[in-house]
Amino acid sequence: MIYNNVDFDTYFRNYPDTDGYFGKYGGQYVSDELKAAMKEIDTAYNTICKSSKFISELRRIRKEFQGRPTPISHLERLSNKLGNVQLYVKREDLNHTGAHKLNHCMGEALLAKYMGKKKVIAETGAGQHGVALATAAAYFGLECDIYMGSVDIKKQAPNVARMKILGANVVEVTDGLATLKEAVDAAFNAYARDYKNCIYCIGSVVGPHPFPMMVRDFQSVVGIEAREQFLEMTGLLPDAVVACVGGGSNSMGMFAGFLNDPVDIYGVEPLGRGEKLGDHAASLKYGEEGVMHGFNSLMLKDENGDPAPVYSVASGLDYPSSGPEHAFLHDIGRVKYDVVDDDETINAFFELSRLEGIIPAIESSHAVAYAMKLAKKMKRGSILINLSGRGDKDMDYIIEKYGIR
Ligand SMILES: *Cc1c(COP(=O)(O)O)cnc(C)c1O
């Protein structure tokens, strides 16, 4: 399929290009030292990860350890309540550790093992990526250093405990505002000092090349499984596919399965409290071109051109940029990026829990909320939603802030 001069039959071979660009987005905006480290990972990825030994080991791990393939569930009661459109969810909440993040963490850690590395390093904000990587490190017997701002360490005590139980070393970062941005900087610095012994494992389809490509490829298992399962269940492709976008990994994984199909694709960003800068984290819808964390993409900027403060009720979505591939798909129009606000999201959270017996992560609830609106507009057909994770981590927050509705 050719869409806006982009040939999707050969898309994955040509995007990103060898320098890591999706159109004008992506690249490697890092020091020469880090460039050498990225080159090492890129070369290893392009040889090791294409080998049949690596592929069959990753397949076995996905089946025997992660519990893949995760199923697709038909949301019968919610669909009936909304009208005629049939809603389905891909159940990444049933992937081991309760979210999609383990898909790329297992891939990255397996690559680390094949490269002979002793240690994996990463940053974490809310702690979800840290827990997934600590799980992968425990599985493979790798050391694991997770950099985390002291503000986040206080806020996310249960995830800090999980990482420690899994044997990871949580490194407190006290610089600046002591949250995610400072943790990213500290983790990159530690990696630059010791890249011979360790590998950096990024948490989404962001960062310098080759990470946006690698994480997409590891996450594409979601879309590949979903396409096959949906065809088997219904005999047709879905009319629309919907996923939430923070950095963009669960959505990119899902979309990868459907880019070359006549399927409408929607990425959902958090509108939070509203359209004012600082009240949302919708970088694709409202952002402009810019470089941060080693890559060029669309980002939300403050008046000085620096990454703007962002907000979302979902801590996994409050990032001032998104992966370069999303910026590219946005510009060519292959994927439509839209928003839902906090209220719509919390309403969807309760609807899915009450009508279907599935408690979604607040991040994933954004996708559900958008699909509910879309279902009313479409009148007939089917929508496949990526349910990126389960909501157990959000219980205390929901009860405290919203009570039982
Ligand atoms: C981290 C997270 C997200 C957001 O990250 P993406 O890279 O955009 O997928 C979404 N859902 C859940 C459950 C998460 O843990």
Side-chain angles (χ1 to χ4, degrees):
M1 181 174 94
I2 294 184
Y3 191 95
N4 234 334
N5 295 326
V6 177
D7 185 351
F8 281 94
D9 287 331
T10 55
Y11 177 77
F12 293 105
R13 241 178 287 149
N14 298 324
Y15 293 87
D17 66 18
T18 46
D19 296 324
Y21 281 92
F22 304 86
K24 62 181 170 175
Y25 302 112
Q28 272 180 344
Y29 297 82
V30 292
S31 64
D32 286 345
E33 207 173 9
L34 272 176
K35 263 192 191 139
M38 293 301 138
K39 177 98 193 117
E40 188 196 357
I41 297 179
D42 190 30
T43 306
Y45 176 74
N46 281 310
T47 50
I48 294 169
C49 295
K50 305 281 154 40
S51 76
S52 61
K53 193 155 169 260
F54 184 94
I55 291 168
S56 60
E57 187 164 358
L58 191 59
R59 275 206 188 124
R60 184 186 61 75
I61 289 166
R62 283 172 175 165
K63 179 161 176 244
E64 295 173 8
F65 179 67
Q66 294 179 231
R68 304 201 69 87
T70 57
I72 285 180
S73 304
H74 181 197
L75 306 178
E76 232 175 298
R77 300 220 305 136
L78 182 58
S79 304
N80 287 344
K81 182 171 174 184
L82 296 169
N84 289 323
V85 174
Q86 299 306 306
L87 302 179
Y88 297 80
V89 279
K90 173 68 169 162
R91 302 290 305 277
E92 289 307 292
D93 60 317
L94 297 178
N95 196 36
H96 180 43
T97 71
H100 70 286
K101 284 199 177 72
L102 195 65
N103 297 332
H104 64 254
C105 286
M106 292 307 283
E108 287 173 325
L110 183 62
L111 178 62
K113 193 184 99 169
Y114 273 67
M115 288 171 76
K117 304 289 185 186
K118 303 273 177 298
K119 192 198 273 186
V120 287
I121 291 186
E123 78 295 333
T124 196
Q128 295 303 107
H129 176 55
V131 169
L133 189 62
T135 302
Y139 181 91
F140 290 110
L142 296 163
E143 284 175 56
C144 179
D145 285 356
I146 303 292
Y147 288 79
M148 194 169 184
S150 34
V151 170
D152 289 330
I153 288 182
K154 282 203 198 74
K155 267 209 244 169
Q156 311 289 344
N159 276 341
V160 174
R162 276 183 199 112
M163 287 185 268
K164 289 184 175 167
I165 287 170
L166 290 160
N169 179 26
V170 179
V171 185
E172 180 167 355
V173 180
T174 55
D175 310 332
L177 297 173
T179 60
L180 181 62
K181 187 192 167 297
E182 290 78 18
V184 173
D185 293 339
F188 262 110
N189 286 340
Y191 175 57
R193 282 196 301 272
D194 194 23
Y195 74 84
K196 291 266 178 308
N197 290 311
C198 54
I199 185 169
Y200 189 85
C201 294
I202 222 152
S204 189
V205 287
V206 296
H209 177 69
F211 287 112
M213 169 183 73
M214 258 169 51
V215 173
R216 170 196 73 192
D217 291 354
F218 289 137
Q219 284 295 345
S220 65
V221 66
V222 175
I224 292 167
E225 279 177 14
R227 187 179 188 278
E228 204 179 297
Q229 291 168 315
F230 197 91
L231 274 171
E232 194 183 304
M233 272 175 97
T234 68
L236 298 166
L237 287 170
D239 293 293
V241 167
V242 178
C244 67
V245 183
S249 64
N250 87 85
S251 49
M252 210 49 246
M254 180 58 123
F255 298 170
F258 297 94
L259 284 173
N260 197 29
D261 290 318
V263 169
D264 293 332
I265 304 180
Y266 298 91
V268 186
E269 298 191 289
L271 186 61
R273 296 181 288 244
E275 285 185 1
K276 205 163 104 278
L277 189 67
D279 281 348
H280 64 82
S283 47
L284 295 159
K285 181 146 178 160
Y286 300 113
E288 46 188 319
E289 191 178 344
V291 172
M292 64 178 271
H293 294 159
F295 65 106
N296 182 40
S297 187
L298 291 170
M299 67 185 242
L300 294 166
K301 295 181 186 173
D302 65 14
E303 65 275 20
N304 302 319
D306 295 323
V310 287
Y311 162 81
S312 165
V313 64
S315 54
L317 301 182
D318 64 354
Y319 185 63
S321 185
S322 289
E325 190 164 12
H326 284 291
F328 173 70
L329 294 169
H330 168 273
D331 284 10
I332 66 165
R334 176 63 190 96
V335 177
K336 187 171 184 316
Y337 294 88
D338 209 342
V339 292
V340 294
D341 66 19
D342 282 0
D343 287 343
E344 293 168 315
T345 299
I346 298 303
N347 177 51
F349 171 90
F350 280 104
E351 288 285 74
L352 195 70
S353 301
R354 295 278 162 86
L355 290 170
E356 300 290 344
I358 301 170
I359 302 178
I362 304 182
E363 289 81 2
S364 324
S365 303
H366 284 76
V368 178
Y370 190 78
M372 287 167 63
K373 288 207 287 193
L374 189 61
K376 288 186 189 154
K377 260 190 253 158
M378 279 168 55
K379 302 220 166 43
R380 70 163 73 94
S382 60
I383 304 174
L384 174 62
I385 306 158
N386 195 19
L387 201 77
S388 54
R390 67 180 183 220
D392 302 46
K393 67 183 177 59
D394 302 315
M395 289 302 85
D396 292 349
Y397 177 81
I398 292 272
I399 297 279
E400 193 187 309
K401 183 125 188 256
Y402 299 94
I404 298 287
R405 288 196 171 174

